Each structure stands twice: as structure tokens, then as C-alpha cells.
């Protein structure tokens, strides 16, 4: 089985891109399942179910969603292996632009959209910079010039990635993506011992543990102060 | 490229000036550190910085090498001239073979695409953009200059076969017209930028009904002005040899002149339209049915005559529009032709 990790900022079009791409993958006779990770709320599992795609949903709630992802990806993978799927696609939103759920040896796709602003590629960390394929969406509503500038900015921060344009509404471009996802050479039978491409950021301070009061005397653990000059 | 990590940053930037944008876009501040080698520069980050800035030194070294390779390839070559694009038949949604021989589209030609919604227009464009080699749902193949094309047309972000213009497109950046075109020119690394920018703005103004200044914010351009700027910018600055147009609204823009500009820049124009004035301006039109190319029709002489009648009607219609806009009372407009 192949695992494919898809990640991207909220509302960039991940679910639409995945749904359209699965349409094409199914036509190639592949059995697909999806694991949807989110933070507080998602309806996307219903969209997948409606499309007849087996889906598992995980809400991280009070936990950091990316940490939650890593803690659960092995179990989800085992579930997909047991059910003999050909591809398991994991979908997670990169909420702070700092984490990325990508794993060494596992195909990584980042979805970002043209509307997110020209400086966005600079602001996104490993989620964009270490992806194998970058999918750019919402190209149908911005000008050609903006599309070209945006794609060239993405290329500057991740020159080795394949950059694709997909229209999540019509599915244009999703067939093409589908041809790049499944690779027999990347089949796995377990995630045990595999490694993240990039470490998650450290964050363990009193606020992680439920502190609500403001003030220096309540701050413990990994706390850092801004330099505020006069 | 193995040696780059032992070279001074200042030397690298001197030799590869484009690296300056790589450093800044990747959030790497090099001021005051130009005399360090790349390896020394990265070694200078302490663990906190590496963690805070999410720096992956090995990956960055690899990406810098990759970026230099790409940019050298990009700058070193003449732009490939695409003289022809050939579509070889595949089949429609029911598997029936398409009824045309090789469809050769040449530089400077306008080809219209007609057919009901969902008939497969986007798939045809998809096939061209992805330079299909019998490996898409239609089984079509696409040749560039009569050859099986280079893989770069699929995967390189700088070489895309198709640029798109549609009625639904808007400018979303918060920039003036001048700064906007300059940004595009920068990303394309064109020489004599200022001249190119001026030329684009002049051309756009010659297409737009009402002129705008270089200082106008792009988001406050009218529909016609936006379309005019998009067309002039795409014609002159986009590297893609094929321009796909999805209708052009019939207000505030001289559509005939707009198509003329694209043709004069040696583009191949594909236009999805059901507006007879636009459709008959094409040299040929492709009729799509049930996912396949059903027919290819050469525009007939009679159609061209009808086109000029339609254009007269169009002018009359626009003249009434102008009168309304100016606050005039509508009276009969004599056909000036």
C-alpha cells in the first residue's frame, strides 16, 4: 500500500483536490481510503462518505493537530493495510505554518491557493518547502500574471518540487495529479521506524498545560520573550 | 555543484545574482555575512535559530543547488519557439474514435472551441496543457513542433504550454498597475524592464475603452480595463505559447484589437466562446461532443461576410451603451459603416 500525506493551510482546497483525484484513481482500478485530521471541527468526512470513500476522522481538540497526527498515523496506516487498500491519503491542515506531517520515504503533497497572497510561500515552513508535489488551487479566479508570479515564488522556496495547478471545482488538473501519486516502489507494510522529514516545533509552557492567567509569574517551561525596545 | 558549500556567499551572489531572491524568499538574512562560505553561514546558526526558522540545512543546500541548476537552464537558453501544436485523435466518452486526422494548430492562429457545457472542452485543454501522450482519459496525443515533446512542458513551473484568460478572473493583489506589471516582469527576469512595462500599459490602454494610469490600483480597474491589462500582460510577458481564452465580455474592451495583439505576439489562441462575433473571428473552430472532437470547421467566406454584419450590429449596440453612460436621451443611431 502507498501512503500519501496531503497538507495545506485551512480552506486551500485540499478536500476538493483529493476528491477529484480519487475519481481518477478509482478509474485506474485502485482502492482508496482517506484519513482526515483536523483540529476542532470538520464535515469533510461526510463528503468522503458521500463519494463512497472509506474515511477515518481524527479531531485533535485541545492538542496540537500535527502532534496528534504523528501520534495516530501508524494506527490509521495499519487499519488501511488490514483493509487492503492500495492508497491511504492522509489529509491535515497545517495550522501554524510551522509543522508538517511529511514522512521520509512517503509521498508528500502540499496544497496552497492563489488567493492566499503573494508572500504566502515565504511564510510557510517545511509544509511547503519539503513537499514533493505542490498543488496550487483557485487559479481560475486570479489573473495569469498572478498565477505565474505565485508559482515562481513557490519554486524559489522549493525548487525540487513538481508544481501543478488544479481547479478543485471542475477537477481540471486532478487526473494529472492522479498519475503521480501511486508508485509501487513506495509500497509500505508498516510505518514502524520511519521518520518525520522535519521535527515538530518545541512548545511546552504553562499555557500548553491549561494556564489562563496573564503575567510573568504564571509562565513556566519553554517561554520566550519578544525584544520590545523603547 | 558539490563545491558550492565551500564558496563565499558574496562570490556566489556575484556569479548567480538570482540567489539573492532565494535567500530573501527563504527568510535567510545574509547581511554582514557575505564573506562567509555557505557552509560557515549555516554552521553559524545555533540550535534555537535552526528550530525557530525551521531550517533544514541539508535540504537547503540541496535546494540551492537545484535552484542554481534550474536558473542556469532558464537563463541560458533561447525561449523555445513553439511553431505548431498537433493534436492526434483519441476517442470520445463512449470510446468511439474521433473523426479527424492530425489537427495542426499554428502560431498566430485563432481556433475557437464550441460545444455544450460538460462536452469536454476542459479535457481538451487539459490534454494540451499536460501534453498528453495517449495517457489521458481521451487517449489523445499532442505534438509540439511535430515532435514528441520534452517532459519539461509537464513539470517545469517556468515552461507552461498554456496561459489562461477568463471572464471570471480578477486581480487580487493590492498593487498599482505599474508595480503589478513590474512584479510579473521581475519573476520572468526580463531585460529592459521599464520599457516592457510601459509597452504593456500602453497596449492595455489602447484596448480599454477608458484609459487608466500606471498609478491606478489594479483592484479598482473596471471589468474592461482589467481584461485589457490581463490580455496585454499575457501577450507580452507570459512565456506560454498558447493562450486559452474563455469568453471576453463585450464591454469596455476592443475585442478584435485584443485578439490582434495576441496574434502579433506570435501566440496560438484557443478560445472557448459561443459569442458569434468572437467565434467567427477564428480561423477554424473545433466542435466538441460527448468528450470527443466531433468536427473541425474552417470559417467560410459566407461566415466572414456575416461576421462583418454582426460587427456592425455590435457597434450599434455599443454606441447605445455609450449614449446611456453619458446620460444622453436614446435616439436612433445611424449605422456609420
Amino acid at each position: 500500500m502507498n501512503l500519501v500525506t496531503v497538507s495545506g493551510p485551512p480552506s486551500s482546497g485540499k478536500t476538493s483536490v483529493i476528491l477529484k483525484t480519487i475519481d481518477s484513481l478509482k478509474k485506474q482500478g485502485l482502492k482508496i481510503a482517506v484519513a482526515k485530521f483536523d483540529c476542532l471541527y470538520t464535515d469533510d468526512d461526510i463528503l468522503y462518505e458521500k463519494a463512497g470513500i472509506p474515511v477515518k476522522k481524527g479531531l485533535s481538540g485541545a492538542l496540537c493537530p500535527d502532534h496528534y497526527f504523528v501520534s495516530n498515523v501508524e494506527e490509521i496506516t495499519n487499519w488501511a493495510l488490514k483493509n487492503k487498500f492500495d492508497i491511504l491519503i492522509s489529509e491535515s491542515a497545517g495550522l501554524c505554518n510551522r509543522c508538517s506531517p511529511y514522512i521520509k520515504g512517503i509521498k508528500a503533497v502540499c496544497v496552497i491557493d492563489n488567493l492566499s497572497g503573494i508572500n504566502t510561500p515565504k511564510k510557510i515552513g517545511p509544509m511547503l518547502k519539503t513537499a514533493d508535489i505542490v498543488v496550487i488551487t483557485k487559479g481560475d479566479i486570479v489573473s495569469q500574471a498572478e498565477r505565474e508570479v505565485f508559482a515562481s515564488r513557490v519554486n524559489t522556496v522549493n525548487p525540487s518540487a513538481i508544481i501543478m495547478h488544479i481547479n478543485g471545482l471542475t477537477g481540471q488538473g486532478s487526473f494529472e495529479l492522479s498519475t503521480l501519486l501511486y508508485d509501487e516502489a513506495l509500497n509500505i507494510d508498516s510505518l514502524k521506524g520511519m521518520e518525520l522529514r522535519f521535527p515538530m516545533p518545541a512548545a511546552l509552557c504553562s499555557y500548553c498545560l491549561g494556564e489562563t492567567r496573564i503575567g510573568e509569574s504564571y509562565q513556566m517551561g519553554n517561554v520566550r520573550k519578544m525584544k520590545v525596545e523603547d | 555543484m558539490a563545491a558550492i558549500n565551500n564558496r563565499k556567499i558574496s562570490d556566489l551572489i556575484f556569479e548567480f545574482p538570482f540567489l539573492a531572491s532565494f535567500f530573501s524568499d527563504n527568510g535567510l538574512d545574509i547581511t554582514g555575512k557575505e564573506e562567509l562560505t555557505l557552509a560557515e553561514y549555516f554552521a553559524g546558526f545555533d540550535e534555537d535559530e535552526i528550530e525557530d526558522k525551521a531550517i533544514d540545512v541539508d535540504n537547503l543546500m540541496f535546494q540551492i543547488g537545484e535552484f542554481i541548476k534550474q536558473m542556469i537552464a532558464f537563463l541560458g537558453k533561447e525561449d523555445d519557439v513553439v511553431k505548431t501544436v498537433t493534436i492526434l485523435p483519441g476517442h470520445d466518452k463512449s470510446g468511439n474514435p474521433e473523426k479527424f486526422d492530425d489537427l495542426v494548430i499554428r502560431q498566430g492562429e485563432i481556433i475557437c472551441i464550441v460545444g455544450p457545457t460538460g462536452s469536454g472542452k476542459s479535457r481538451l485543454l487539459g490534454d494540451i496543457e499536460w501534453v498528453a501522450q495517449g495517457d489521458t482519459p481521451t487517449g489523445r496525443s499532442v505534438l509540439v513542433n511535430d515532435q514528441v515533446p520534452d517532459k519539461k512542458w509537464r513539470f517545469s513551473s517556468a515552461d507552461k504550454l498554456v496561459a489562461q484568460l477568463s471572464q471570471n478572473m480578477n486581480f487580487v493583489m493590492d498593487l498599482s498597475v505599474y508595480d503589478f506589471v513590474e512584479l510579473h516582469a521581475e519573476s520572468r527576469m526580463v531585460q529592459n524592464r521599464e520599457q516592457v512595462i510601459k509597452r504593456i500599459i500602453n497596449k492595455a490602454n489602447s484596448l480599454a475603452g477608458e484609459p487608466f494610469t500606471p498609478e491606478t490600483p489594479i483592484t479598482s480597474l473596471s471589468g474592461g480595463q482589467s481584461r485589457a491589462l490581463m490580455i496585454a500582460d499575457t501577450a507580452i510577458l507570459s512565456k506560454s505559447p498558447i493562450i486559452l481564452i474563455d469568453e471576453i465580455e463585450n464591454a469596455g474592451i476592443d475585442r478584435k484589437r485584443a485578439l490582434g495583439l495576441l496574434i502579433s505576439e506570435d501566440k496560438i489562441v484557443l478560445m472557448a466562446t459561443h459569442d458569434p462575433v468572437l467565434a467567427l473571428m477564428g480561423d477554424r473552430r473545433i466542435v466538441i461532443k460527448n468528450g470527443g472532437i466531433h468536427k473541425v470547421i474552417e470559417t467560410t467566406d459566407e461566415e466572414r461576410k456575416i461576421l462583418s454584419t454582426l460587427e456592425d450590429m455590435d457597434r450599434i449596440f455599443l454606441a447605445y451603451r455609450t449614449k446611456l453612460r453619458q446620460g444622453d436621451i436614446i435616439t436612433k443611431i445611424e449605422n456609420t459603416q
Side-chain angles (χ1 to χ4, degrees):
Chain A
M1 184 190 75
N2 270 198
L3 172 62
V4 176
T5 50
V6 178
S7 186
S11 302
S12 57
K14 296 177 292 297
T15 306
S16 302
V17 167
I18 295 172
L19 279 168
K20 299 285 183 196
T21 307
I22 289 178
D23 277 348
S24 300
L25 288 167
K26 276 185 173 169
K27 286 183 191 141
Q28 295 162 40
L30 295 162
K31 275 179 70 189
I32 328 286
V34 170
K36 166 81 189 185
F37 290 90
D38 218 314
C39 193
L40 293 176
Y41 179 79
T42 183
D43 260 347
D44 293 345
D45 50 324
I46 299 170
L47 292 175
Y48 288 116
E49 268 165 17
K50 268 194 188 152
I53 301 159
V55 57
K56 290 277 175 207
K57 167 164 88 168
L59 290 179
S60 62
L63 299 178
C64 163
D66 287 285
H67 291 228
Y68 180 78
F69 168 86
V70 200
S71 323
N72 286 285
V73 67
E74 189 185 13
E75 286 79 357
I76 289 283
T77 304
N78 289 343
W79 162 77
L81 281 163
K82 210 165 34 181
N83 287 282
K84 304 224 177 317
F85 292 112
D86 298 304
I87 306 179
L88 170 65
I89 298 177
S90 81
E91 181 196 337
S92 56
L95 293 179
C96 67
N97 288 342
R98 171 61 174 75
C99 285
S100 77
Y102 307 144
I103 300 165
K104 291 178 185 165
I106 298 288
K107 198 154 280 175
V109 181
C110 177
V111 180
I112 52 173
D113 75 83
N114 272 302
L115 289 182
S116 61
I118 202 70
N119 288 319
T120 298
K122 268 194 211 184
K123 294 182 196 163
I124 304 180
M127 181 168 79
L128 176 61
K129 293 180 184 174
T130 64
D132 302 311
I133 299 173
V134 178
V135 170
I136 305 177
T137 58
K138 302 182 193 173
D140 53 323
I141 44 180
V142 303
S143 66
Q144 176 69 23
E146 285 158 301
R147 268 194 304 283
E148 288 183 15
V149 173
F150 195 82
S152 101
R153 296 267 168 113
V154 169
N155 186 61
T156 320
V157 299
N158 189 348
S160 61
I162 292 174
I163 299 173
M164 314 193 69
H165 295 265
I166 296 186
N167 179 335
L169 297 178
T170 63
Q172 194 171 350
S174 58
F175 164 78
E176 287 76 3
L177 176 63
S178 79
T179 64
L180 303 177
L181 289 190
Y182 185 72
D183 183 348
E184 258 176 52
L186 295 179
N187 270 335
I188 51 164
D189 46 25
S190 158
L191 278 182
K192 201 157 239 118
M194 287 197 160
E195 263 181 75
L196 283 174
R197 293 193 185 187
F198 202 83
M200 305 263 166
L204 199 63
C205 66
S206 38
Y207 296 107
C208 302
L209 298 169
E211 179 62 77
T212 53
R213 290 166 298 179
I214 294 167
E216 198 151 1
S217 55
Y218 306 112
Q219 296 165 355
M220 276 176 293
N222 199 350
V223 175
R224 198 172 311 154
K225 295 291 187 184
M226 287 168 69
K227 278 185 203 135
V228 185
E229 279 149 37
D230 296 333
Chain B
M1 211 57 77
I4 57 165
N5 41 353
N6 293 321
R7 296 190 50 193
K8 274 191 200 169
I9 292 180
S10 56
D11 291 351
L12 283 171
I13 290 187
F14 181 74
E15 188 175 348
F16 311 114
F18 48 79
L19 276 184
S21 74
F22 183 91
F23 284 111
S24 74
D25 280 6
N26 280 285
L28 300 168
D29 186 6
I30 49 169
T31 36
K33 301 192 175 150
E34 294 89 343
E35 294 312 302
L36 298 178
T37 66
L38 210 48
E40 286 166 349
Y41 173 69
F42 284 121
F45 286 106
D46 63 31
E47 232 163 84
D48 275 354
E49 274 174 299
I50 288 197
E51 207 178 292
D52 277 352
K53 295 193 172 146
I55 295 169
D56 179 340
V57 175
D58 292 340
N59 185 48
L60 266 175
M61 287 284 197
F62 168 72
Q63 298 282 35
I64 291 177
E66 198 63 19
F67 191 67
I68 292 176
K69 249 189 274 173
Q70 276 180 19
M71 294 309 285
I72 289 174
F74 176 78
L75 296 169
K77 68 173 181 225
E78 294 285 304
D79 285 358
D80 304 278
V81 178
V82 173
K83 287 202 175 309
T84 61
V85 170
T86 307
I87 302 167
L88 306 178
H91 49 76
D92 68 12
K93 280 179 196 160
S94 323
N96 307 311
E98 288 179 306
K99 294 176 222 148
F100 66 97
D101 303 322
D102 309 357
L103 174 58
V104 184
I105 306 171
R106 292 172 198 84
Q107 225 176 29
E109 237 183 332
I110 300 174
I111 308 282
C112 294
I113 305 172
V114 297
T117 311
S119 58
K121 285 180 281 187
S122 328
R123 187 60 256 164
L124 172 65
L125 294 161
D127 285 350
I128 297 174
E129 208 167 10
W130 187 242
V131 284
Q133 295 304 310
D135 57 355
T136 65
T138 59
R140 292 186 192 116
S141 297
V142 172
L143 306 178
V144 174
N145 294 335
D146 296 324
Q147 309 274 327
V148 174
D150 195 312
K151 271 248 185 298
K152 71 164 189 182
W153 293 114
R154 272 191 187 181
F155 295 127
S156 151
S157 66
D159 300 286
K160 286 270 168 237
L161 264 184
V162 183
Q164 297 196 30
L165 283 165
S166 99
Q167 282 202 115
N168 301 330
M169 287 174 184
N170 286 298
F171 291 121
V172 293
M173 278 184 208
D174 194 6
L175 288 175
S176 70
V177 168
Y178 188 94
D179 292 346
F180 173 77
V181 181
E182 185 176 39
L183 189 69
H184 191 197
E186 256 171 40
S187 87
R188 289 273 294 100
M189 304 221 189
V190 294
Q191 307 291 317
N192 51 39
R193 225 164 269 173
E194 198 157 327
Q195 243 174 302
V196 173
I197 299 168
K198 271 196 194 136
R199 192 165 151 242
I200 290 172
I201 296 176
N202 287 340
K203 282 284 178 197
N205 268 320
S206 76
L207 305 180
E210 286 165 277
F212 54 87
T213 66
E215 292 76 34
T216 314
I218 47 171
T219 45
S220 63
L221 295 174
S222 72
Q225 289 170 332
S226 299
R227 208 64 60 225
L229 179 60
M230 281 183 199
I231 290 174
D233 168 84
T234 306
I236 293 165
L237 262 183
S238 177
K239 222 176 133 196
S240 305
I242 302 173
I243 310 289
L244 163 73
I245 298 176
D246 190 358
E247 299 283 9
I248 310 178
E249 56 266 75
N250 190 16
I253 178 165
D254 185 332
R255 299 190 290 178
K256 197 170 194 173
R257 212 184 264 181
L259 290 177
L261 170 64
L262 291 167
I263 298 302
S264 69
E265 293 292 323
D266 288 330
K267 301 289 187 188
I268 292 170
V269 178
L270 295 177
M271 186 159 53
T273 181
H274 294 142
D275 180 328
V277 176
L278 281 181
L280 296 180
M281 277 182 203
D283 302 288
R284 283 180 284 171
R285 56 186 186 275
I286 296 173
V287 185
I288 308 222
K289 248 188 204 168
N290 189 30
I293 295 182
H294 176 65
K295 252 198 257 179
V296 181
I297 301 173
E298 195 103 19
T299 306
T300 66
D301 287 340
E302 189 182 356
E303 282 176 336
R304 285 188 207 284
K305 275 188 209 137
I306 293 172
L307 171 62
S308 74
T309 315
L310 291 173
E311 282 174 331
D312 288 343
M313 290 161 70
D314 210 27
R315 262 190 290 274
I316 296 173
F317 199 82
L318 286 177
Y320 278 117
R321 186 193 281 268
T322 311
K323 275 188 172 252
L324 266 183
R325 172 176 289 164
Q326 289 164 348
D328 295 350
I329 304 289
I330 300 294
T331 51
K332 190 170 167 29
I333 289 171
E334 293 307 323
N335 189 353
T336 47
Q337 278 310 100

